Amino acid sequence: MAAIYTYWISTALLCLLYLASAYMYVTKGDRVRQVVGELGYPSYLVPFMIVVKTLGPAAILLRFSMALSDLAYAGIFYHLLLAGLAYVGVRKPGGALPAAVGLALLAASFVTQNAAREVPSPYAQAATF
């Protein structure tokens, strides 16, 4: 029972983090482009990231395809890892805090997903061993 609560709480918070970030990308586009540029990335990635930050949580929550859900977990993992490392790379480690929180939520969600979902992920079971 605790695994089910852990899954839904961590998944909801992770999705909220991503959707809030996508909302910020839309409403504060100029500031986001500036920060993305300071991190060394081109600003044309911002519209792409809005789409990704919306579709990733949708794929995890809706889970109409197990493969797509697992791919969304992998994409979010790499995004959070690279975002955190980008902030550390420009010597602004405080900016990496949301990525670290997101990685913790992602790990909790991924490891406990088989307890809460009817169709189990073959990869989540392998990750717990």
Side-chain angles (χ1 to χ4, degrees):
M1 190 63 125
I4 295 172
Y5 288 131
T6 301
Y7 171 76
W8 285 111
I9 291 170
S10 62
T11 303
L13 290 174
L14 177 69
C15 292
L16 183 64
L17 176 73
Y18 260 68
L19 294 175
S21 177
Y23 177 76
M24 185 182 69
Y25 276 37
V26 170
T27 58
K28 299 180 190 264
D30 294 333
R31 175 70 180 131
V32 170
R33 283 181 179 76
Q34 178 187 357
V35 171
V36 167
E38 290 171 3
L39 293 175
Y41 294 108
S43 63
Y44 63 79
L45 289 178
V46 172
F48 175 71
M49 290 307 299
I50 293 169
V51 172
V52 168
K53 286 180 179 235
T54 305
L55 293 180
I60 290 172
L61 286 174
L62 298 176
R63 201 174 191 183
F64 57 86
S65 167
M66 178 59 63
L68 190 60
S69 175
D70 287 340
L71 185 63
Y73 273 113
I76 290 173
F77 171 75
Y78 285 113
H79 171 256
L80 291 170
L81 184 66
L82 293 174
L85 290 174
Y87 277 104
V88 171
V90 296
R91 306 214 190 287
K92 294 181 180 179
L97 184 61
V101 170
L103 281 170
L105 292 171
L106 181 77
S109 174
F110 184 76
V111 170
T112 59
Q113 69 177 324
N114 284 349
R117 297 294 193 142
E118 289 182 23
V119 180
S121 169
Y123 302 110
Q125 188 175 17
T128 59
F129 286 72

